[in-house]
Amino acid sequence: MHKNKGFSVEEKIRVGIINYLNTRPLLYGLQHPPINRQIELIEDVPARLAEMLINDQIDVGLVPVAITKRLPQYFINGSYCIGAIGDVASVCVFSQVPLEQVEKIYLDYQSRSSVALCKWLIKNHWKIQPEIIDAQNESYLKAIKGTTAGLVIGDRALQQRPKFEYIYDLAGEWKAATGLPFVFAAWISTKKLPEDFIKEFDKANAYGLSHLEEVIAQIPEGIYDLNKYYSQDLSYTLDNEKRKGLEQFLKILSSPS
């Protein structure tokens, strides 16, 4: 049983991780000893992992940071995240026309943080007033044409890049608006995790990031330049600047729209 009071030595800690390319380095580290003997890995899309954390179906998850607003208490664990100090490449609004000509924008159903960020950019940075449509499934990707744009995240976003003339990268737009890096997802729990576990967890994350060649070797070629993606587009260290960006974003989420 997983009780909120703490963890016994015998039970495995349930770890939820996003099943996108951007988490592969972290996942690689978690699949190796000694940490792999202490955890049960559960992979899913960001929004579903967030619901699992709320419902106590996982103990810690690499989940969209926007979910913190729905948690009675939360802890951000360790020194790693899914972040970017500029363009991230895999969280973008795609369009066939410039933003000022866009009449509708579909919002990806797989993430909460990216949707919240996109809504903030629409109102406060881009200052446009399109009709906003919450996508329900993958069919919305076919609706991105003419004056209808769409927010797409994850591996699907990398696949969309060659298809559109106008690509608005949300992390880069946030940096332009605030001067700060952006944190899309962090290792969040609803109860305090053991200190010794967090130390081992951090080591595992670092291990994956220091073995990028092995990580890339396991992924079919042709999706995107993964060397660039892992070493330039993404920034995994939850440093002070990213914490400032995260704090700023959480303030925005808390303020009246």
Side-chain angles (χ1 to χ4, degrees), residues 198-219:
I198 294 174
K199 285 180 183 176
E200 288 299 323
F201 199 74
D202 260 359
K203 287 180 186 176
N205 281 211
Y207 181 85
L209 291 167
S210 65
H211 290 77
L212 290 179
E213 286 186 11
E214 290 96 320
V215 173
I216 292 169
Q218 295 180 347
I219 301 168

Side-chain angles (χ1 to χ4, degrees), residues 8 11 39 52 66 75 80 90 100 106 134 145 148 150 168 171 183 189 195 203 205 222-224 226 232 239 253:
S8 70
E11 68 185 342
I39 62 175
M52 292 177 79
F75 302 88
Y80 296 94
S90 55
E100 57 270 19
Y106 277 91
D134 292 320
K145 56 188 176 183
T148 298
Y168 299 90
V183 175
S189 63
E195 293 281 339
K203 287 180 186 176
N205 281 211
I223 297 173
Y224 186 71
L226 294 178
Q232 295 179 40
D239 56 20
L253 292 179

Side-chain angles (χ1 to χ4, degrees), residues 14 22 31 34 68 74-75 104 109 111 133-134 137 141 153 168 189 204 209 228 236 246 251:
R14 301 165 298 175
N22 61 13
Q31 290 170 332
T68 57
Y74 67 91
F75 302 88
K104 298 178 183 177
Y109 64 97
S111 174
I133 305 168
D134 292 320
N137 52 50
L141 296 174
I153 70 165
Y168 299 90
S189 63
L209 291 167
K228 177 179 182 293
Y236 290 98
L246 175 55
K251 280 182 184 173

Side-chain angles (χ1 to χ4, degrees), residues 47-65:
R48 284 205 286 268
L49 282 182
E51 292 300 324
M52 292 177 79
L53 185 63
I54 290 171
N55 296 325
D56 195 34
Q57 294 170 302
I58 56 175
D59 300 306
V60 59
L62 188 60
V63 295
V65 295

